[in-house]
Amino acid sequence: MKIVIIGSGGRLGAALTREYRDKFDVVGFNHAQLDLTNFEQVREKVTALDFGVLINCAAFTNVDLCETQRDQAFQINAEAPRVLAEICREKKAKLIHFSTDYVFDGEKRELYKEDDVAKPISFYGESKREGEKLVLQANDRHLVVRVSWVFGPDRPSFIDGVIKRARENEHVEAIADKISTPTYTRDIAQMLLKVVAAPNAFGADRGKARASNPGYVDSYSGILHFANAGECSWQEYAQFSLDCCRSLGIPLKAKTVGALKLSDMKNWIARRPVYSVLSTTKYIAITGSTPRGWRDAVGDYVREFVPR
Ligand SMILES: NC(=O)c1ccc[n+]([C@@H]2O[C@H](COP(=O)([O-])OP(=O)(O)OC[C@H]3O[C@@H](n4cnc5c(N)ncnc54)[C@H](OP(=O)(O)O)[C@@H]3O)[C@@H](O)[C@H]2O)c1
């Protein structure tokens, strides 16, 4: 199977490129190689390729900048995915497009399911929600995968920032009243493989899709949530990360993480959902597999990638 990965220089795109390189014929495009704001270039370069699956990990992910650079955010997070979805439809290929827990307003305070109403409270969330809709309007056999609080070795994220601060300072703080689930890029890669391989994932269309394009992947369509299991605040996430470091003998100045409130973050421009835990019930039903807990994933990451 031939796979194209767009955003292969980012945290998730780089991880998927590495995890899939040995299993599939993978072509990756980083930002310098393909600019999603240049639709003509995108059409030209992507149409010229032969592939069965295109995975779009590229996005304008700076939530605050999205508020002030709305046109660019909309182009990258909404219009470009539509262009990719149309190209894939024309080529009878599958688009797997990544989206976010920030499409929800966070008021539910219970696990968010795929069919819960998306009511973004930031322009980032709004542009990503529009991207989801445009992708599925172009072809309802495409797949949108929402993820939350992504971490991994290919680009620093919250966990790396907190460990760095704890190495340098005796006191560190993190927000205690915002809840979701840290999710490891390596686990996302494994989960996606399970969906693609799931026997019941393509239903009656499986034969038809295969017949019309031998490269077409059997996989679920519509919206799907991926997350490690469990939930926590940023403060708990930070504290557990420091505890992992300490148990491995990684020297830190700070031992405990103090509590901040979302309302303390005066410099933030965009609003963020207070609660955005994604339910993986649908993923479990499709694959018969349960994601491991976020603590196991964070523990593995610290053990393997945090310098001693
Ligand atoms: N990180 C999270 O916690 C999180 C949470 C929920 C959902 N997600 C979603 O997960 C997906 C992957 O995110 P990530 O964590 O891997 O983010 P990331 O590390 O910021 O990666 C995004 C990639 O997109 C590229 N990009 C930005 N503008 C582009 C453009 N005009 N043309 C081509 N490429 C462009 C970036 O390149 P440059 O850096 O060179 O600009 C970067 O390599 C995104 O859809 C994101 O919305 C992430």
Side-chain angles (χ1 to χ4, degrees), residues 5-18:
I5 298 181
I6 295 182
S8 62
R11 188 178 301 118
L12 180 59
L16 297 187
T17 305
R18 189 182 42 257

Side-chain angles (χ1 to χ4, degrees), residues 38-55:
N38 184 342
F39 299 159
E40 206 175 308
Q41 185 199 49
V42 170
R43 280 206 184 86
E44 199 177 299
K45 284 198 174 175
V46 179
T47 305
L49 298 166
D50 174 31
F51 59 89
V53 180
L54 187 148
I55 305 178

Side-chain angles (χ1 to χ4, degrees), residues 85-124:
E86 289 170 358
I87 296 169
C88 288
R89 183 187 60 204
E90 282 151 25
K91 295 179 77 72
K92 296 195 169 46
K94 181 108 180 164
L95 174 62
I96 298 174
H97 172 69
F98 277 91
S99 191
T100 173
D101 53 330
Y102 277 31
V103 299
F104 295 116
D105 65 8
E107 296 301 323
K108 190 182 169 199
R109 312 295 162 94
E110 278 173 44
L111 301 191
Y112 277 99
K113 299 197 188 103
E114 286 79 354
D115 54 7
D116 278 325
V117 177
K119 262 192 261 164
I121 54 173
S122 64
F123 195 76
Y124 168 71

